[in-house]
Amino acid sequence: MTSTEIAIIAPPAAPMNALAILAGQVGPDYAANLRKDAETSRGTRSAATERALLGDIRLFTGWCTDAGLEHMPATAETVAAFVDAQAAAGKAPASIKRYAASIAAYHRSAQAPNPQDMKIATDALVTFIRAHGPRQRAANGNTDGTA
């Protein structure tokens, strides 16, 4: 670069905000709440958490669409059926617990009635966890120096 050239440095792209993306999937009142929460909570979640939240809610909304059920606001029965379907599909307990937490966060952010506040939704999760064990076994670390 010569002394007469000016380097143009673009600012870093804003990190993805799952709630802002998901606002396009709901009615106007819930969308406004999601956008507002996306703005006020910007930077409070890691990129990995944003990706997980977005993926979890896309999985849930896709399942709801396929089942002909509303995803926002979802009923406790819908969440219980979703948990049962994911269990039947062989998903790990930790994944299903994360899905349930993501659904709850999505509803809180939209200021919608939270289906996770209803006993039927939490009962489905507890029943699954008791049947399949509360924790996944961690893999052993690589201790022999090969990678």
Side-chain angles (χ1 to χ4, degrees), residues 24-43:
Q25 299 182 3
V26 297
D29 291 340
Y30 293 131
N33 293 340
L34 285 170
R35 285 187 191 98
K36 181 178 179 184
D37 192 88
E39 188 58 38
T40 60
S41 67
R42 187 170 304 283

Side-chain angles (χ1 to χ4, degrees), residues 109-124:
S109 296
Q111 297 179 25
N114 192 339
Q116 294 295 94
D117 290 340
M118 303 298 293
K119 189 172 184 307
I120 190 170
T122 56
D123 282 352

Side-chain angles (χ1 to χ4, degrees), residues 1 7 10 14 36 38 42 54 67 73 78 80-81 88 94 102 114 124-125 130 132 138:
M1 184 164 73
K36 181 178 179 184
R42 187 170 304 283
L54 183 61
T78 296
S102 293
N114 192 339
L125 190 57
R130 284 198 175 154
H132 293 86

Side-chain angles (χ1 to χ4, degrees), residues 17-103:
N17 189 294
L19 297 174
I21 293 168
L22 294 167
Q25 299 182 3
V26 297
D29 291 340
Y30 293 131
N33 293 340
L34 285 170
R35 285 187 191 98
K36 181 178 179 184
D37 192 88
E39 188 58 38
T40 60
S41 67
R42 187 170 304 283
T44 62
R45 290 180 292 273
S46 71
T49 299
E50 291 284 354
R51 283 190 305 273
L53 177 62
L54 183 61
D56 294 350
I57 298 305
R58 285 184 169 164
L59 176 68
F60 177 65
T61 58
W63 180 87
C64 287
T65 298
D66 291 347
L69 300 168
E70 288 291 323
H71 74 275
M72 178 60 73
T75 65
E77 292 82 5
T78 296
V79 174
F82 173 74
V83 166
D84 291 344
Q86 298 311 302
K91 299 290 182 162
S95 297
I96 295 176
K97 286 170 67 174
R98 191 189 75 214
Y99 300 156
S102 293
I103 293 166

Side-chain angles (χ1 to χ4, degrees), residues 1-6:
M1 184 164 73
T2 67
S3 60
T4 58
E5 294 177 27
I6 299 174

